[in-house]
Amino acid sequence: MLEQNFLDKDELQKLFNIAFVGCSRGFVPEARTVFSKILEAVPDHRAARAGLAFTHIVVDDFAPADEILQGLLAEDPDDDDSRGFLVLSKFLQKDSDAVDVAMKEFRSLDSAGYRLASSLSEVTR
């Protein structure tokens, strides 16, 4: 088990990055384990919660992903990164109504989340 005082902020960030890249390359169970361990050590680590949601999205397990992301957005409506992942989830579910609603709720058109979500419209052109 990771302990919060065992790893500093930079080390946690490195673990997060490794897990995210691993998930993107198909190491989903391993990434999910890393995100879960980060959350054991730092339960309010928002990026790890979003990463855990991503591990569900990539395997089409949308209900838990949406639940995590909706929780993050309920805590912080300005969280465009979580909103971007939610748009990705809804896009993959072919829920265009939910995508349209979420696209109108972005706080910043310069955010990484908005760029992710808007790039999905490029896929459908």
Side-chain angles (χ1 to χ4, degrees):
M1 178 172 120
L2 298 175
E3 294 183 25
Q4 187 169 1
N5 60 358
F6 178 70
L7 297 172
D8 66 27
K9 185 177 180 179
D10 289 337
E11 292 167 324
L12 282 172
Q13 185 62 42
K14 288 176 186 173
L15 276 175
F16 167 80
N17 291 341
I18 290 167
F20 198 89
V21 170
C23 183
S24 298
R25 300 210 176 177
F27 296 97
V28 177
E30 295 85 352
R32 193 172 289 164
T33 297
V34 173
F35 289 131
S36 295
K37 293 295 184 182
I38 292 170
L39 289 168
E40 282 179 23
V42 187
D44 61 345
H45 196 285
R46 293 182 60 82
R49 289 169 59 196
L52 190 57
F54 186 68
T55 68
H56 290 284
I57 292 170
V58 299
V59 294
D60 297 342
D61 187 16
F62 300 114
D66 291 355
E67 182 178 339
I68 293 167
L69 296 168
Q70 292 290 1
L72 287 166
L73 288 167
E75 293 170 13
D76 180 6
D78 293 334
D79 183 354
D80 282 347
D81 292 337
S82 292
R83 185 168 284 104
F85 281 136
L86 184 61
V87 169
L88 174 62
S89 178
K90 296 301 184 183
F91 175 82
L92 293 172
Q93 294 175 63
K94 299 180 179 22
D95 186 345
S96 59
D97 292 338
V99 168
D100 291 342
V101 168
M103 289 300 293
K104 294 175 186 169
E105 295 177 349
F106 277 96
R107 303 299 198 247
S108 171
L109 302 184
D110 292 326
S111 68
Y114 178 79
R115 289 191 302 274
L116 166 66
S118 64
S119 71
L120 297 173
S121 66
E122 301 291 322
V123 173
T124 59
R125 289 183 194 174

